[in-house]
């Protein structure tokens, strides 16, 4: 039997939330899903086997970083991203649109695309819808993202509208470029990205334009860029509902645990964020009672696990006191163990959310989670 | 049945080389043994489970580093080094003598001991035989090392002789301090350290003094400090033979793979060195054809494993091209995988040496190893 290219099944709903799965050739993605970020062909400080063991069904790779180092053509010559990094499950790649506008220097935008200088070595590059899709294909991406244009959320409505409209023209070009690679397209998927900032009308126009083109899934783009949780949730009160009910909805770059819980309640199926991995390298651990920073002197002789409610291998073996020591001493093992715990925490959260939706108790679960998470006396930013 | 405190058995000899085992309460150490260095309560960039899986029966902890951070009394309150770091097999601790004289500032030596300022925060400390042994007991060390005095190999014979003689008085005080902790002494071991630089007569006097006191094992100290392999081997042609044949002989701080092979041929049973771990963090991998540096551009598209003759999990999964990418990108996973391979390489070397001795073919094995290792076209320092 031929494995499915991309089969999204909703097994249960609870309010606007859904749980189910996406079956693909390289494996099945349980939704709602959290995708650890593997920026430069590595989920930082973790072996791929440990990422999978943590419960991640899919990871994200960054087109911008990989095109600059080691280079998309090089990755292709080396057998694609999966073989290169030793990860055999699905990989979603972003389009590079966000990083090229936030990390690179001297960007010059036109209808053609974005010209920029590498933040690594100053070399000149062009990212266009066609080149972005080509790079993602060279990487061997299983879920390709359309190339879009981002503008600051503080821009005028006129600027937002123009950027959204250009993104929709680029979405069409992205879809065409994806379909032109027929062999790859026959076995992989492409998502469109809804834009329109915090404007319901622009969001609706964007959704309609994307549906006209037709994608395997739809991302809500342009959020989690500093607007705050309240504004983001206000947008998520309508934006996901403008997208097809029978396709996965992906909220890009989100987020904190309470962001994810609230977004799942609003009908989001997929997430990615650097927070668990980046926090793991700066001494922050996620716990059911809120985040804690292990640099804090109060953990120096704390023999408890990072999170008493956690059953992960890190919590089963090492104390807060030991992790405090490693973080203070700048030991690599500190980053390794903290990252592993944080990825385990995020995957456990997604598993809990899936179970709560399946059992029709999401509202109670979410309320309880928020209460515990925000009343913790951890003294850290929630 | 009470587990043995310290039972050294020689199963086979081949020339001056021996293979056997040391049975202790926490496990059996196969000899010749290589001890990965766990300086600050971590074998850098490796989980303890992976260190054990690599074949390490024992690791080394550094008294100097641990007394300064997190502090010996703190480690004791947290249940000792084994529980703190999650390593349940034997641990050997050094005495701090070498580090206090090489890393700290403002050392002031007297018959009492060495006063110094921490290289971390400038706090003042005293290390004496009694305090060194106390710290090692607080850490829960299974093999305690006597506290000794080191002087540069370029010192005059008079200075060398005086330092050796003081070290022998300190060895007596170390033994007494160890025995004073009767509960700990009943279940653990202490080694003396032979000094005398490159002078056969001083080495003999030192060995005799140590044997008069009586230890569970004997280290050859004061080598691998810049004298070169030829001078070290010249010393090892006589120094180990001055020590009891029925006790383990430990060559401290050694070394490169060819150092280890030559030292095993000269009757050494135990080694420790930061080389495999430190090299792993700077992009150097050990292979049967000599070391290679993965930063080198020639590995950018090399799809082979680090070492074609290696069966370790790293070589089974990732290419030189991927490791080159990780090293160039400064990724933590690069340090993790390179370290794991290097520790695997060292443990495989020890296993090969043990098998060669047991089968009476050490000379052929050693000759073949040196030929392959030094004729590699790797262009690196052997």
């Amino acid at each position: 039997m031929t494995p499915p290219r991309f089969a999204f099944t909703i097994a249960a709903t609870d309010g606007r939330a859904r749980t189910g799965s996406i079956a693909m050739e390289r494996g099945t993605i349980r939704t709602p899903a959290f995708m650890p970020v593997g920026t430069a062909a590595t989920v930082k400080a973790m072996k791929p086997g440990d990422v999978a063991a943590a419960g991640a069904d899919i990871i994200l790779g960054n087109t911008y970083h990989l095109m600059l180092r080691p280079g998309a053509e090089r990755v292709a010559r080396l057998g694609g991203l999966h073989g290169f990094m030793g990860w055999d499950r699905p990989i979603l790649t972003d389009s590079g649109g966000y990083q090229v506008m936030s990390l690179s220097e001297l960007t010059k935008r036109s209808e053609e695309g974005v010209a920029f200088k590498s933040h690594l070595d100053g070399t000149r590059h062009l990212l266009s819808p066609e080149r972005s899709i080509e790079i993602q294909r060279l990487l061997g991406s299983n879920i390709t993202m359309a190339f879009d244009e981002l503008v600051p959320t503080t821009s005028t409505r006129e600027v937002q509208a123009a950027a959204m409209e250009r993104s929709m023209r680029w979405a069409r070009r992205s879809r065409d470029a994806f379909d032109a690679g027929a062999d790859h397209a026959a076995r992989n998927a492409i998502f469109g990205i809804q834009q329109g900032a915090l404007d319901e009308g622009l969001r609706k126009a964007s959704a309609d334009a994307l549906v006209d083109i037709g994608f395997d899934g739809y991302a809500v783009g342009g959020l989690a860029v500093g607007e705050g949780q309240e504004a983001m949730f206000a947008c998520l009160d309508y934006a996901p509902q403008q997208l097809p009910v029978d396709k996965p909805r992906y909220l890009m770059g989100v987020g904190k645990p309470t962001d994810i819980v609230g977004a799942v309640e609003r009908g989001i199926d997929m997430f990615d964020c650097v927070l668990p991995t980046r926090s793991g390298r700066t001494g922050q651990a996620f716990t059911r009672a809120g985040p804690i920073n292990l640099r804090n002197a109060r953990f120096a002789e704390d023999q408890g696990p990072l999170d008493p409610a956690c059953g992960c291998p890190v919590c089963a073996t090492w104390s807060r006191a030991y992790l405090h020591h490693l973080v203070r001493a700048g030991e690599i093992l500190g980053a390794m163990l903290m990252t592993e715990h944080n990825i385990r925490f995020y995957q456990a959260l997604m598993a809990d959310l899936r179970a709560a939706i399946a059992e029709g108790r999401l509202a109670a679960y979410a309320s309880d989670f928020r209460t515990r998470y925000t009343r913790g006396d951890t003294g850290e930013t929630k």
Side-chain angles (χ1 to χ4, degrees), chain A:
Chain A
M1 198 179 85
T2 309
R5 184 186 65 86
F6 188 88
F8 179 51
T9 309
I10 297 174
T13 61
D14 186 358
R16 290 181 169 185
R18 314 99 69 77
T19 183
S21 63
I22 303 167
M24 299 189 75
E25 189 176 307
R26 282 190 173 271
T28 295
I29 303 152
R30 294 163 290 180
T31 63
F34 179 80
M35 302 183 280
V37 176
T39 306
T42 158
V43 175
K44 289 182 191 295
M46 281 187 85
K47 292 184 192 176
D50 289 333
V51 177
D57 296 327
I58 176 170
I59 61 171
L60 179 144
N62 282 119
T63 284
Y64 173 79
H65 290 93
L66 292 167
M67 72 183 284
L68 298 180
R69 184 172 60 194
E73 279 75 9
R74 174 165 285 169
V75 172
R77 283 193 297 274
L78 294 168
L81 195 51
H82 293 85
F84 186 57
M85 70 181 289
W87 172 264
D88 61 6
R89 301 186 183 198
I91 295 176
L92 179 148
T93 46
D94 65 13
S95 71
Y98 179 78
Q99 276 82 15
V100 77
M101 293 175 222
S102 60
L103 291 180
S104 67
E105 297 168 27
L106 289 176
T107 59
K108 185 160 179 257
R109 308 178 187 205
S110 67
E111 188 65 20
E112 169 62 13
V114 182
F116 66 97
K117 283 177 74 172
S118 162
H119 75 288
L120 293 176
D121 62 7
T123 51
R124 291 173 184 279
H125 301 265
L126 174 75
L127 259 187
S128 61
E130 291 76 18
R131 177 61 180 156
S132 171
I133 301 304
E134 181 183 27
I135 290 169
Q136 295 180 73
R137 186 187 301 123
L138 286 164
L139 295 174
S141 172
N142 306 115
I143 301 180
T144 289
M145 297 302 298
F147 186 71
D148 56 355
E149 182 178 20
L150 298 173
V151 291
T153 47
T154 50
S155 308
T156 62
R157 188 178 191 281
E158 192 176 3
V159 169
Q160 298 285 4
M164 182 276 284
E165 286 158 13
R166 174 176 279 172
S167 290
M168 296 307 100
R169 294 190 294 275
W170 286 1
R172 173 81 260 171
R173 286 167 55 189
S174 296
R175 172 87 241 187
D176 290 345
F178 181 79
D179 290 337
D183 288 351
H184 182 81
R187 301 171 67 179
N188 296 285
I190 182 169
F191 281 19
I193 305 176
Q194 181 197 44
Q195 292 293 351
L198 304 177
D199 185 296
E200 187 168 357
L202 292 180
R203 286 274 169 192
K204 180 70 167 79
S206 179
D208 291 347
L210 293 174
V211 171
D212 269 357
I213 300 166
F215 287 95
D216 296 307
Y218 296 86
V220 178
L223 294 181
V225 289
E227 75 280 7
Q229 190 182 73
E230 194 177 347
M232 182 173 78
F233 282 174
C235 182
L236 292 177
D237 283 339
Y238 56 78
Q241 307 310 313
Q242 298 169 337
L243 297 168
V245 71
D246 62 343
K247 302 287 184 188
R249 302 165 182 152
Y250 161 31
L251 181 57
M252 304 180 78
V254 172
K256 291 182 292 185
T258 56
D259 291 340
I260 289 176
V261 172
V264 164
E265 291 182 292
R266 290 167 175 83
I268 297 292
D269 306 300
M270 299 170 69
F271 302 88
D272 81 277
C273 191
V274 296
L275 198 55
T277 41
R278 181 172 294 167
S279 297
R281 300 194 302 284
T282 58
Q284 180 171 286
F286 291 91
T287 84
R288 274 71 176 173
I292 57 177
N293 195 308
L294 271 292
R295 293 197 74 86
N296 195 305
R298 71 194 165 98
F299 297 120
E301 299 203 4
D302 186 336
Q303 299 205 51
L306 282 177
D307 182 355
C310 182
C312 88
V314 177
C315 288
T317 309
W318 294 283
S319 65
R320 289 172 167 185
Y322 182 59
L323 291 156
H324 168 82
H325 165 68
L326 293 179
V327 169
R328 283 285 187 107
E331 286 288 347
I332 288 175
L333 186 62
M336 291 164 58
L337 298 180
M338 299 282 291
T339 300
E340 181 169 350
H341 166 81
N342 285 346
I343 289 292
R344 287 265 179 178
F345 176 91
Y346 267 68
Q347 295 300 337
L349 171 62
M350 304 318 292
D352 288 349
L353 286 164
R354 291 192 296 264
I357 297 166
E359 295 164 15
R361 53 178 176 77
L362 177 62
Y365 172 81
S367 169
D368 183 60
F369 180 86
R370 277 187 287 263
T371 302
R372 291 174 191 273
Y373 194 80
T374 53
R375 95 177 159 205
D377 64 341
T378 61
E380 310 287 335
T381 309
K382 303 295 192 263

